[in-house]
Amino acid sequence: MAGAERIIGIDINPSKFEMAGQLGATDLVNPGDHGAPIQEVIVDLTNGGVDYSFECVGNVELMRAALECCHKGWGECTIIGVAGAGQEIATRPFQLVTGRVWRGTAFGGVRGRSDLPGMVDQYLAGEIEVDRMITHTMKLDGINDAFDLMHEGESIRSVVYF
């Protein structure tokens, strides 16, 4: 939707690659298939680093890797995942003084009152695919199962209803 030429999906669970490709990923990388740190793999794959990276897991080591795979001079890393309470992220200052940007976001930067109605219109017009990201639907008494599926990497999103 943003016009990216290349979208690199990274996951240790290759069963997610098919959907990632359907949603626009042009390259799919499993860190376990490489002997080097993932940030080095991505810098090599892109001849210098990515323009934008997104950490969606909440793992502080991945947050560092997401920054370090950004291109020197202009690469921007956005942290989406929520780290555990009390955890801290760290990197060498060199990573930032060479022009990389590290930022965080809440709710993807969406402003509920002004942005959400337009996103609903896009969904209703078929421009944003939400339905196929819902992999499980269950009653409230199955909420623990929903968390188990998420932790096992078996679901994208579960909808829990009353």
Side-chain angles (χ1 to χ4, degrees):
M1 288 178 69
E5 291 179 23
R6 191 173 192 189
I7 299 172
I8 303 169
I10 303 169
D11 204 308
I12 59 173
N13 183 351
S15 68
K16 294 184 178 182
F17 288 173
E18 182 179 350
M19 181 177 282
Q22 293 170 359
L23 294 172
T26 57
D27 300 83
L28 300 159
V29 179
N30 182 339
D33 294 341
H34 301 275
I38 192 61
Q39 57 267 44
E40 292 177 17
V41 172
I42 299 304
V43 168
D44 289 344
L45 182 67
T46 58
N47 297 317
V50 298
D51 295 336
Y52 300 96
S53 71
F54 304 89
E55 193 283 341
C56 307
V57 178
N59 178 304
V60 294
E61 295 302 318
L62 294 180
M63 292 174 185
R64 179 178 182 159
L67 174 70
E68 294 179 2
C69 77
C70 288
H71 201 287
K72 290 177 188 171
W74 63 79
E76 184 173 316
C77 172
T78 302
I79 304 300
I80 300 168
V82 178
Q87 290 187 316
E88 296 181 1
I89 55 177
T91 194
R92 296 172 314 202
F94 174 80
Q95 297 296 331
L96 298 171
V97 298
T98 53
R100 293 176 182 93
V101 175
W102 217 354
R103 71 175 63 233
T105 185
F107 305 108
V110 172
R111 295 176 302 263
R113 286 188 184 155
S114 58
D115 295 345
L116 201 52
M119 292 177 79
V120 170
D121 290 341
Q122 286 180 298
Y123 166 73
L124 293 173
E127 297 169 17
I128 299 176
E129 296 186 57
V130 174
D131 296 337
R132 70 178 175 175
M133 291 184 206
I134 300 170
T135 54
H136 297 83
T137 303
M138 57 197 67
K139 290 185 177 182
L140 182 60
D141 62 2
I143 193 164
N144 290 331
D145 296 330
F147 279 105
D148 290 342
L149 289 165
M150 179 183 65
H151 289 130
E152 294 165 3
E154 298 296 324
S155 73
I156 304 297
R157 285 291 177 262
S158 295
V159 172
V160 178
Y161 62 93
F162 296 95

